[in-house]
Amino acid sequence: MKFSLVGDIGGTNARLALWRGQGLEAVQVLQTADFPEPVQAVRAYLQEQNLLVEDLEKVCLACAGPVQGDEFHFTNNHWRLSRSAFAQELDLKRLLLINDFAAMALGMTRLQQGEWIDVCKGEAELDRPRLVIGPGTGLGVASLVPKLDGGWIVLPGEGGHVSLPIGSSREAALWEVLHRHIGHVEAESVLCGKGLLRLYQAICELDRFTPHLQTPADVTTAALAGDTCAAGALGQFCVWLGRVAGDSALTLGARGGVYLAGGMLPRFADFLMTSGFLQGFHDKGQMTAYVEGIPVQLVTAKYPGLEGACVALELDMDT
């Protein structure tokens, strides 16, 4: 029996699943570091599911990075993909490549009750755009624009690479430390997994503490346990995420709402809710009132990127 496959591929993980027109089946998470190229990961997945490559008909892969042309280079891992070679090797009837946060945005159209937490309640203007933003291996940003017929246009972008906004003297001092080490400081420099560790190290340097944490997970765990420097880093992370999300909402006119997506934030949801995120989001000077009414939701759905890839496959769209 013929079947389709969807994938959500980031810098660290490749999430793969079957799609038969009814919903996701047999979701499996593979490590990108374990395979030289995407086609080997797909073959390993099919072998694990006892499925034949010959029965694979269509594939939609949501890929981290700008999608254009035949050759695709993943932004935060070593994989490369040629559309033509990939489709030929697997003898596919149809191959769709879409930006990973375009897929994440499409996944927001399939959210079910209980798959989000209200960070800021507000009245969504249904005819206005919606912003989707989330830190993970990188910082993803995309938007949904409503169509007159009730559907959606998804607009992928590279908003994670905008310059990091400075809103206080403390942030300016941290920016100077970061700039001394890495040069240009973009939002993704701190608003991702590795960025959280970098931010922790910058705070330790600025405040003259000796850093003792080695991974982003260490920083999160220590912050939740009350470690001063780690909590300072995670708190500043939330403030800066609020600033970037608020700036993006202003640029887009996202009065339809903001979705905080990705797998990183749910790990410290309670911390986020009591952090300075909303202060950073709302601190927009004369435009503060504009953003204060925008609802913000933390997405807790398990596989929204895969769901979005299913939507793209249904619509037969390349983005």
Side-chain angles (χ1 to χ4, degrees):
M1 181 180 294
K2 297 293 185 180
F3 62 91
S4 298
L5 180 142
V6 292
D8 178 16
I9 304 172
T12 305
N13 296 316
R15 299 170 180 85
L16 301 176
L18 304 179
W19 181 72
R20 304 183 195 270
Q22 302 297 321
L24 296 175
E25 300 177 18
V27 176
Q28 186 174 349
V29 181
L30 306 178
Q31 302 296 304
T32 57
D34 292 342
F35 302 92
E37 294 180 334
V39 69
Q40 283 88 356
V42 170
R43 286 186 177 276
Y45 171 81
L46 295 178
Q47 185 176 11
E48 179 71 20
Q49 301 301 323
N50 294 314
L51 295 170
L52 298 176
V53 174
E54 292 78 8
D55 291 332
L56 179 58
E57 189 172 31
K58 297 179 182 179
V59 171
C60 177
L61 298 180
C63 306
V67 176
Q68 56 188 11
D70 183 71
E71 291 283 339
F72 179 80
H73 296 187
F74 290 79
T75 300
N76 289 309
N77 70 43
H78 65 284
W79 279 4
R80 296 187 177 189
L81 186 151
S82 162
R83 291 179 191 248
S84 54
F86 185 93
Q88 182 176 9
E89 182 162 351
L90 296 176
D91 194 24
L92 298 176
K93 178 180 177 183
R94 184 77 168 103
L95 170 64
L96 298 179
L97 296 186
I98 66 172
N99 173 266
D100 64 329
F101 247 72
M104 185 70 77
L106 288 171
M108 300 303 99
T109 68
R110 287 197 172 188
L111 285 183
Q112 303 296 315
Q113 191 69 34
E115 292 185 330
W116 71 83
I117 299 170
D118 289 320
V119 179
C120 180
K121 292 187 177 182
E123 290 295 327
E125 298 182 18
L126 301 182
D127 61 341
R128 301 297 296 275
R130 300 181 184 184
L131 171 71
V132 186
I133 183 169
T137 304
L139 177 64
V141 181
S143 52
L144 288 168
V145 179
K147 296 167 64 176
L148 293 178
D149 64 3
W152 295 94
I153 298 172
V154 61
L155 300 177
E158 293 300 322
H161 299 281
V162 299
S163 297
L164 187 70
I166 305 303
S168 69
S169 57
R170 170 73 169 178
E171 292 177 1
L174 284 171
W175 181 92
E176 289 183 355
V177 174
L178 293 163
H179 185 266
R180 187 162 62 248
H181 287 286
I182 64 174
H184 174 65
V185 185
E186 57 189 36
E188 189 175 273
S189 298
V190 297
L191 296 177
C192 67
K194 290 182 180 178
L196 176 59
L197 180 62
R198 182 182 289 128
L199 180 55
Y200 162 77
Q201 293 167 340
I203 286 176
C204 287
E205 181 175 334
L206 184 64
D207 295 340
R208 302 182 184 226
F209 287 100
T210 301
H212 62 280
L213 304 173
Q214 302 298 318
T215 68
D218 289 343
V219 177
T220 301
T221 299
L224 299 180
D227 180 275
T228 301
C229 282
L234 194 59
Q236 183 60 59
F237 181 98
C238 293
V239 172
W240 255 324
L241 179 61
R243 291 199 192 286
V244 173
D247 287 352
S248 299
L250 280 176
T251 301
L252 180 63
R255 298 295 292 263
V258 172
Y259 298 101
L260 304 178
M264 190 175 180
L265 297 180
R267 298 172 190 165
F268 52 90
D270 291 342
F271 187 100
L272 176 73
M273 297 290 285
T274 58
S275 72
F277 170 85
L278 283 180
Q279 178 185 349
F281 186 81
H282 291 152
D283 185 17
K284 301 303 172 192
Q286 63 181 339
M287 297 306 293
T288 293
Y290 182 93
V291 295
E292 281 182 336
I294 297 177
V296 180
Q297 296 172 334
L298 171 60
V299 178
T300 58
K302 201 166 184 182
Y303 301 114
L306 287 176
E307 292 283 359
C310 290
V311 174
L313 208 52
E314 287 179 344
L315 299 176
D316 195 34
M317 60 185 289
D318 278 298
T319 304

